[in-house]
Amino acid sequence: MVAHRLDRVEARRIAVRAQLLDAGRPSDLLAVVDRLTFLQLDPTAAVAPSADLVAWTRLGGAYEPEHLLSAVERDRTLFEHRAMVRPMTDLGLYRAEMAAWPQDARRRDWLQANERFRGYVLDLLRASGPLLSREVPDRSEVPWPSTGWTNNRNVTQMLEFLAARGEIAISGRVGRQRRWDLAERVYPVGAPVVPVGDAVRLRDERLLRSLGIARSSVVGEAGEPAVVEGTSGGWRVDRAAIGGSFAGRTALLSPFDRLVHDRKRALELFGFEYHLEMYVPKAKRRWGYFALPVLHHDELVGKVDAVADRKASILRVHAVHEDVPFGAEVAEAVRAELEALASWLGLTAVEHAHC
């Protein structure tokens, strides 16, 4: 098959449209998650939890965090698994791998050594679930060994392992704490199980549709080969995304947003350099603890270092880093997005450090 030849402008626009970041905003959370394939959960909330920020960036002020909670906990149209929220209709693409987990001897041996503990947890959830991890007594026979933070965290590890195997599932949350229950009470009964090979292929196809264009190392053989001017080979493109019209907008992105999550792709397609600096000593940060990438039409033009001061009801903007000079139009668009973000967060003002 002859590779599609794309210039960088077309490649960028394919990526932006695929991620629902062009001017035609979607109107439904489920449609957003279905298109993106998942929302990543992360406890960092300097501005807002990343999953909520990603949803707001697509849906605008019509989105409320309660919508995500409701979809997971009550409607069961989404499910949480391994720090991702996915459409329940995609569950069958993961069940075969769940059933075969774990593949490594270390986890398999620990589960076998704690078979009675496993049975106890399942029986407890059957009788009393859903439960928080602190409500599950540690009856392990062999402690979980680790040189990291999970050492001897036996209840947490057992719950994580049983969820990875598809025996239990997250039924909801109390704050940041997960509530666990039997999978049969959370997942649809009789949901189809797609064989692993077919599931991987379908997941790759869905992932490419959500990205528009990506390396084959990310999406396998999904889509069709492409060459992007000024970059090395190995691209795959969603054929249906080529040649569409484009109308852009300005958006403040989560550092975990999939438009920028692949830092090499962002550099090659957008010329955008970015590193998440929350683990970098303050004195060595270039852009800020949780700097928000700024998208303007089909370009990533800068970063905003901001934090939500909820006690003072202020969105504090420590700095706006312009990768390219903004000009009046871009500066006004960024200001409007900051005002919209503050309003969505329920904050009464935006305060800039230079004011």
Side-chain angles (χ1 to χ4, degrees), residues 308-345:
D309 184 341
R310 290 170 175 82
K311 289 185 178 180
S313 194
I314 292 172
L315 180 64
R316 299 192 185 278
V317 180
H318 299 307
V320 176
H321 303 280
E322 301 180 15
D323 288 15
V324 294
F326 278 7
E329 177 189 351
V330 178
E332 173 58 25
V334 171
R335 185 202 64 76
E337 281 299 294
L338 287 167
E339 293 286 350
L341 177 58
S343 176
W344 174 66
L345 292 169

Short mmCIF file of all heavy atoms in Angstrom, two decimals, residues 308-345:
data_model
loop_
_atom_site.label_atom_id
_atom_site.label_comp_id
_atom_site.label_asym_id
_atom_site.label_seq_id
_atom_site.Cartn_x
_atom_site.Cartn_y
_atom_site.Cartn_z
N ALA A 308 -5.70 26.37 41.20
CA ALA A 308 -6.99 26.79 41.74
C ALA A 308 -6.87 26.95 43.25
O ALA A 308 -6.66 25.97 43.97
CB ALA A 308 -8.06 25.75 41.40
N ASP A 309 -6.97 28.17 43.72
CA ASP A 309 -6.97 28.47 45.16
C ASP A 309 -8.43 28.48 45.60
O ASP A 309 -9.11 29.51 45.55
CB ASP A 309 -6.30 29.81 45.41
CG ASP A 309 -6.17 30.12 46.89
OD1 ASP A 309 -6.89 29.50 47.71
OD2 ASP A 309 -5.36 31.01 47.24
N ARG A 310 -8.90 27.34 46.06
CA ARG A 310 -10.33 27.21 46.36
C ARG A 310 -10.72 27.95 47.63
O ARG A 310 -11.85 28.42 47.75
CB ARG A 310 -10.70 25.73 46.43
CG ARG A 310 -10.67 25.07 45.04
CD ARG A 310 -10.79 23.57 45.07
NE ARG A 310 -10.87 23.05 43.70
CZ ARG A 310 -9.82 22.83 42.94
NH1 ARG A 310 -8.60 23.11 43.38
NH2 ARG A 310 -9.96 22.35 41.71
N LYS A 311 -9.81 28.08 48.57
CA LYS A 311 -10.13 28.83 49.79
C LYS A 311 -10.37 30.30 49.48
O LYS A 311 -11.28 30.92 50.04
CB LYS A 311 -8.99 28.68 50.80
CG LYS A 311 -8.90 27.29 51.42
CD LYS A 311 -7.83 27.25 52.50
CE LYS A 311 -7.76 25.87 53.16
NZ LYS A 311 -6.71 25.81 54.21
N ALA A 312 -9.57 30.86 48.59
CA ALA A 312 -9.72 32.27 48.23
C ALA A 312 -10.67 32.45 47.05
O ALA A 312 -10.98 33.59 46.69
CB ALA A 312 -8.36 32.87 47.90
N SER A 313 -11.11 31.36 46.44
CA SER A 313 -11.98 31.38 45.25
C SER A 313 -11.33 32.13 44.10
O SER A 313 -11.97 32.94 43.41
CB SER A 313 -13.35 31.99 45.58
OG SER A 313 -14.26 31.72 44.54
N ILE A 314 -10.03 31.83 43.88
CA ILE A 314 -9.27 32.51 42.82
C ILE A 314 -8.52 31.48 41.99
O ILE A 314 -7.93 30.54 42.53
CB ILE A 314 -8.27 33.51 43.44
CG1 ILE A 314 -9.01 34.69 44.09
CG2 ILE A 314 -7.29 34.03 42.38
CD1 ILE A 314 -8.09 35.61 44.86
N LEU A 315 -8.53 31.65 40.68
CA LEU A 315 -7.63 30.91 39.81
C LEU A 315 -6.37 31.75 39.67
O LEU A 315 -6.38 32.81 39.04
CB LEU A 315 -8.27 30.68 38.44
CG LEU A 315 -7.41 29.91 37.43
CD1 LEU A 315 -7.13 28.49 37.90
CD2 LEU A 315 -8.06 29.88 36.05
N ARG A 316 -5.31 31.30 40.31
CA ARG A 316 -4.06 32.07 40.33
C ARG A 316 -3.20 31.66 39.13
O ARG A 316 -2.79 30.50 39.03
CB ARG A 316 -3.31 31.84 41.63
CG ARG A 316 -4.10 32.26 42.86
CD ARG A 316 -3.23 32.30 44.11
NE ARG A 316 -4.04 32.60 45.30
CZ ARG A 316 -4.41 33.81 45.67
NH1 ARG A 316 -4.04 34.86 44.92
NH2 ARG A 316 -5.14 34.01 46.75
N VAL A 317 -2.92 32.60 38.27
CA VAL A 317 -2.09 32.36 37.10
C VAL A 317 -0.70 32.89 37.40
O VAL A 317 -0.47 34.10 37.42
CB VAL A 317 -2.68 33.06 35.86
CG1 VAL A 317 -1.80 32.81 34.64
CG2 VAL A 317 -4.10 32.56 35.60
N HIS A 318 0.22 31.97 37.67
CA HIS A 318 1.58 32.38 38.03
C HIS A 318 2.36 32.88 36.82
O HIS A 318 3.19 33.79 36.94
CB HIS A 318 2.32 31.21 38.67
CG HIS A 318 1.68 30.69 39.92
ND1 HIS A 318 1.36 31.51 40.98
CD2 HIS A 318 1.27 29.44 40.28
CE1 HIS A 318 0.80 30.79 41.95
NE2 HIS A 318 0.73 29.54 41.54
N ALA A 319 2.10 32.26 35.66
CA ALA A 319 2.83 32.67 34.45
C ALA A 319 2.12 32.13 33.22
O ALA A 319 1.47 31.08 33.28
CB ALA A 319 4.26 32.17 34.49
N VAL A 320 2.24 32.86 32.13
CA VAL A 320 1.82 32.39 30.82
C VAL A 320 3.07 32.35 29.95
O VAL A 320 3.67 33.39 29.67
CB VAL A 320 0.76 33.30 30.19
CG1 VAL A 320 0.41 32.82 28.78
CG2 VAL A 320 -0.49 33.35 31.05
N HIS A 321 3.49 31.15 29.59
CA HIS A 321 4.71 30.97 28.80
C HIS A 321 4.34 30.91 27.32
O HIS A 321 3.63 30.00 26.89
CB HIS A 321 5.44 29.70 29.22
CG HIS A 321 5.79 29.65 30.68
ND1 HIS A 321 6.89 30.29 31.19
CD2 HIS A 321 5.16 29.05 31.73
CE1 HIS A 321 6.95 30.08 32.50
NE2 HIS A 321 5.92 29.34 32.85
N GLU A 322 4.82 31.86 26.55
CA GLU A 322 4.52 31.93 25.12
C GLU A 322 5.64 31.25 24.33
O GLU A 322 6.75 31.77 24.24
CB GLU A 322 4.36 33.38 24.68
CG GLU A 322 3.25 34.11 25.42
CD GLU A 322 3.09 35.55 24.96
OE1 GLU A 322 3.65 35.90 23.89
OE2 GLU A 322 2.43 36.34 25.69
N ASP A 323 5.35 30.09 23.76
CA ASP A 323 6.35 29.43 22.92
C ASP A 323 6.57 30.24 21.65
O ASP A 323 7.67 30.24 21.08
CB ASP A 323 5.89 28.02 22.56
CG ASP A 323 5.96 27.07 23.75
OD1 ASP A 323 6.07 27.54 24.89
OD2 ASP A 323 5.89 25.85 23.53
N VAL A 324 5.51 30.86 21.18
CA VAL A 324 5.58 31.82 20.08
C VAL A 324 4.82 33.06 20.56
O VAL A 324 3.90 32.94 21.37
CB VAL A 324 4.95 31.27 18.78
CG1 VAL A 324 5.75 30.09 18.26
CG2 VAL A 324 3.50 30.87 19.00
N PRO A 325 5.20 34.25 20.11
CA PRO A 325 4.47 35.45 20.56
C PRO A 325 2.99 35.31 20.26
O PRO A 325 2.58 35.00 19.14
CB PRO A 325 5.13 36.57 19.73
CG PRO A 325 6.49 36.05 19.41
CD PRO A 325 6.33 34.58 19.22
N PHE A 326 2.16 35.56 21.26
CA PHE A 326 0.73 35.32 21.13
C PHE A 326 0.05 36.30 20.16
O PHE A 326 -0.77 35.90 19.35
CB PHE A 326 0.06 35.42 22.50
CG PHE A 326 0.15 34.17 23.31
CD1 PHE A 326 0.92 33.09 22.91
CD2 PHE A 326 -0.55 34.07 24.51
CE1 PHE A 326 1.01 31.94 23.66
CE2 PHE A 326 -0.49 32.91 25.27
CZ PHE A 326 0.29 31.84 24.86
N GLY A 327 0.36 37.55 20.27
CA GLY A 327 -0.41 38.53 19.53
C GLY A 327 -1.74 38.77 20.22
O GLY A 327 -2.14 38.03 21.12
N ALA A 328 -2.45 39.79 19.81
CA ALA A 328 -3.67 40.21 20.51
C ALA A 328 -4.76 39.15 20.46
O ALA A 328 -5.45 38.89 21.45
CB ALA A 328 -4.18 41.52 19.90
N GLU A 329 -4.93 38.50 19.30
CA GLU A 329 -6.01 37.51 19.16
C GLU A 329 -5.81 36.33 20.09
O GLU A 329 -6.72 35.91 20.80
CB GLU A 329 -6.09 37.02 17.71
CG GLU A 329 -7.15 35.94 17.51
CD GLU A 329 -7.08 35.30 16.14
OE1 GLU A 329 -6.33 35.81 15.28
OE2 GLU A 329 -7.76 34.28 15.93
N VAL A 330 -4.60 35.77 20.09
CA VAL A 330 -4.33 34.61 20.92
C VAL A 330 -4.37 34.98 22.40
O VAL A 330 -4.94 34.24 23.22
CB VAL A 330 -2.96 33.98 20.57
CG1 VAL A 330 -2.66 32.79 21.47
CG2 VAL A 330 -2.95 33.54 19.11
N ALA A 331 -3.80 36.12 22.76
CA ALA A 331 -3.81 36.56 24.15
C ALA A 331 -5.24 36.71 24.67
O ALA A 331 -5.55 36.29 25.79
CB ALA A 331 -3.06 37.88 24.30
N GLU A 332 -6.11 37.26 23.87
CA GLU A 332 -7.51 37.43 24.28
C GLU A 332 -8.21 36.08 24.37
O GLU A 332 -9.00 35.84 25.29
CB GLU A 332 -8.25 38.33 23.28
CG GLU A 332 -9.75 38.45 23.52
CD GLU A 332 -10.10 38.99 24.91
OE1 GLU A 332 -9.26 39.70 25.51
OE2 GLU A 332 -11.22 38.70 25.38
N ALA A 333 -7.91 35.16 23.46
CA ALA A 333 -8.52 33.84 23.50
C ALA A 333 -8.08 33.07 24.75
O ALA A 333 -8.89 32.39 25.39
CB ALA A 333 -8.17 33.05 22.24
N VAL A 334 -6.81 33.18 25.11
CA VAL A 334 -6.31 32.52 26.32
C VAL A 334 -6.96 33.13 27.56
O VAL A 334 -7.35 32.42 28.49
CB VAL A 334 -4.77 32.60 26.39
CG1 VAL A 334 -4.27 32.11 27.74
CG2 VAL A 334 -4.15 31.79 25.26
N ARG A 335 -7.07 34.46 27.58
CA ARG A 335 -7.71 35.12 28.71
C ARG A 335 -9.15 34.64 28.86
O ARG A 335 -9.62 34.34 29.97
CB ARG A 335 -7.71 36.64 28.51
CG ARG A 335 -8.26 37.42 29.70
CD ARG A 335 -8.74 38.80 29.29
NE ARG A 335 -9.86 38.72 28.37
CZ ARG A 335 -11.11 38.43 28.72
NH1 ARG A 335 -11.41 38.16 29.99
NH2 ARG A 335 -12.06 38.37 27.81
N ALA A 336 -9.86 34.51 27.74
CA ALA A 336 -11.25 34.05 27.79
C ALA A 336 -11.34 32.62 28.31
O ALA A 336 -12.26 32.27 29.07
CB ALA A 336 -11.89 34.17 26.41
N GLU A 337 -10.39 31.77 27.90
CA GLU A 337 -10.39 30.38 28.38
C GLU A 337 -10.11 30.31 29.88
O GLU A 337 -10.69 29.49 30.59
CB GLU A 337 -9.36 29.56 27.61
CG GLU A 337 -9.82 29.11 26.24
CD GLU A 337 -11.06 28.24 26.32
OE1 GLU A 337 -10.99 27.12 26.85
OE2 GLU A 337 -12.12 28.69 25.84
N LEU A 338 -9.22 31.16 30.36
CA LEU A 338 -8.96 31.20 31.80
C LEU A 338 -10.19 31.65 32.57
O LEU A 338 -10.50 31.10 33.64
CB LEU A 338 -7.77 32.12 32.09
CG LEU A 338 -6.40 31.57 31.70
CD1 LEU A 338 -5.34 32.68 31.73
CD2 LEU A 338 -6.00 30.42 32.62
N GLU A 339 -10.89 32.61 32.04
CA GLU A 339 -12.14 33.06 32.68
C GLU A 339 -13.17 31.93 32.68
O GLU A 339 -13.87 31.70 33.67
CB GLU A 339 -12.70 34.28 31.95
CG GLU A 339 -11.85 35.54 32.07
CD GLU A 339 -11.94 36.20 33.45
OE1 GLU A 339 -12.81 35.79 34.25
OE2 GLU A 339 -11.14 37.12 33.72
N ALA A 340 -13.27 31.22 31.56
CA ALA A 340 -14.22 30.12 31.46
C ALA A 340 -13.84 28.99 32.42
O ALA A 340 -14.70 28.36 33.05
CB ALA A 340 -14.28 29.60 30.02
N LEU A 341 -12.54 28.72 32.54
CA LEU A 341 -12.07 27.68 33.46
C LEU A 341 -12.40 28.05 34.90
O LEU A 341 -12.89 27.22 35.67
CB LEU A 341 -10.56 27.49 33.29
CG LEU A 341 -9.88 26.49 34.23
CD1 LEU A 341 -10.50 25.10 34.10
CD2 LEU A 341 -8.38 26.44 33.97
N ALA A 342 -12.14 29.28 35.28
CA ALA A 342 -12.45 29.73 36.64
C ALA A 342 -13.95 29.62 36.92
O ALA A 342 -14.36 29.15 37.99
CB ALA A 342 -11.98 31.17 36.84
N SER A 343 -14.76 30.01 35.97
CA SER A 343 -16.22 29.92 36.14
C SER A 343 -16.65 28.49 36.32
O SER A 343 -17.47 28.17 37.19
CB SER A 343 -16.91 30.55 34.93
OG SER A 343 -18.32 30.39 35.02
N TRP A 344 -16.12 27.59 35.49
CA TRP A 344 -16.47 26.16 35.61
C TRP A 344 -16.05 25.59 36.97
O TRP A 344 -16.77 24.77 37.56
CB TRP A 344 -15.80 25.38 34.48
CG TRP A 344 -15.96 23.90 34.59
CD1 TRP A 344 -17.12 23.17 34.49
CD2 TRP A 344 -14.92 22.96 34.85
NE1 TRP A 344 -16.86 21.83 34.65
CE2 TRP A 344 -15.51 21.67 34.87
CE3 TRP A 344 -13.55 23.06 35.04
CZ2 TRP A 344 -14.78 20.50 35.09
CZ3 TRP A 344 -12.81 21.91 35.24
CH2 TRP A 344 -13.43 20.65 35.27
N LEU A 345 -14.92 26.05 37.48
CA LEU A 345 -14.44 25.58 38.78
C LEU A 345 -15.20 26.19 39.95
O LEU A 345 -15.00 25.80 41.10
CB LEU A 345 -12.95 25.89 38.93
CG LEU A 345 -11.98 25.12 38.02
CD1 LEU A 345 -10.59 25.73 38.09
CD2 LEU A 345 -11.97 23.65 38.39
#
